[in-house]
Amino acid sequence: MPGSRAIRDEVERQVFTVVDLETTGLDPQEARITEIAAVRVRGADRLGEFATLVAPGVPIPEFITDLTGISDDLVADAPPLRLVLPAFTHFAEDAILVAHNAPFDVGFLRTASIACDHAWPDFRVVDTLALARALLPAGTLPNLRLGTLARYFEAPTDPTHRALADARATAHVLRAFIDRMHASGRHELADLLALGRPPTPGVRERQTTPIG
């Protein structure tokens, strides 16, 4: 029907900025960002990418280097966060922000913006973890980690605990969930925002159950 097509097109015309961070730890009050990457998409089109290492200003713990490959030497010449944040928010401008377990990434970005005296835009946010819980029948997968979802939806990029690879994988997962939402008869942008509404901001769940 023409009306339902127009409603569906609202989602397909919407621009999303899919973001992922690497950090020195899990608590945004104590840890620091070491890498920011984002993929800007509309429908099936990739409009651009943003990626940079960030000088955290503190030593990177050895277990983080083992996990991500990001070391003190690697970030030695990286820009400080106060220079990176304005560039990132400009890249993400006028888009809906997307992340897997969004309270973690958005929480770090909000906290960093306050520390850097940088105005944080009032982004609308979609959490692909919330979409997974809403759109996948219980028991479909053993867990809802990004890597598990990426493999399930046959993402061309495997998450590697590096920000750009993880952002690319999350963008693919987002597209898969939008298709599932349409298939379920829900086509409005408001449906996507409701299904993907992040929970109350807090520390990333992978403290206890890894999901990234």
Side-chain angles (χ1 to χ4, degrees):
M1 295 174 61
S4 61
R5 171 61 63 182
I7 292 171
R8 180 175 179 143
D9 285 350
E10 179 189 19
V11 175
E12 298 306 316
R13 291 194 303 267
Q14 176 64 49
V15 176
F16 300 92
T17 296
V18 185
V19 64
D20 189 86
L21 308 180
E22 299 304 329
T23 66
T24 62
L26 295 167
D27 185 349
Q29 301 298 330
E30 301 292 338
R32 299 292 183 267
I33 295 170
T34 58
E35 189 173 41
I36 301 177
V39 180
R40 194 172 172 92
V41 296
R42 181 177 56 226
D45 298 325
R46 186 178 298 178
L47 305 179
E49 294 185 338
F50 176 96
T52 182
L53 291 164
V54 179
V58 297
I60 297 175
E62 185 176 350
F63 80 94
I64 293 292
T65 298
D66 291 341
L67 177 68
T68 67
I70 300 174
S71 64
D72 292 330
D73 288 343
L74 194 62
V75 300
D77 297 321
L81 195 57
R82 63 180 175 78
L83 298 181
V84 172
L85 279 173
F88 169 74
T89 53
H90 178 73
F91 177 82
E93 190 175 18
D94 298 326
I96 291 175
L97 209 60
V98 180
H100 192 69
N101 192 25
F104 174 83
D105 300 274
V106 176
F108 261 92
L109 289 167
R110 286 182 183 276
T111 300
S113 294
I114 293 170
C116 294
D117 197 25
H118 175 71
W120 178 249
D122 187 23
F123 288 113
R124 291 178 293 176
V125 178
V126 167
D127 187 348
T128 51
L129 178 57
L131 290 177
R133 289 172 172 157
L135 293 170
L136 287 178
T140 300
L141 296 171
N143 60 67
L144 300 179
R145 298 172 186 171
L146 177 58
T148 303
L149 291 168
R151 287 187 292 275
Y152 180 71
F153 290 121
E154 300 180 341
T157 303
D158 188 39
T160 60
H161 291 294
R162 289 300 301 267
L164 185 56
D166 289 9
R168 288 171 175 166
T170 304
H172 183 91
V173 168
L174 171 67
R175 180 68 252 173
F177 281 133
I178 289 174
D179 291 343
R180 284 200 167 221
M181 184 187 79
H182 287 322
S184 74
R186 290 169 284 190
H187 304 296
E188 297 189 33
L189 184 60
D191 293 325
L192 182 66
L193 291 168
L195 292 167
R197 181 180 295 117
T200 302
V203 178
R204 196 171 198 171
E205 292 183 18
R206 68 181 180 195
Q207 286 185 87
T208 54
T209 304
I211 61 173

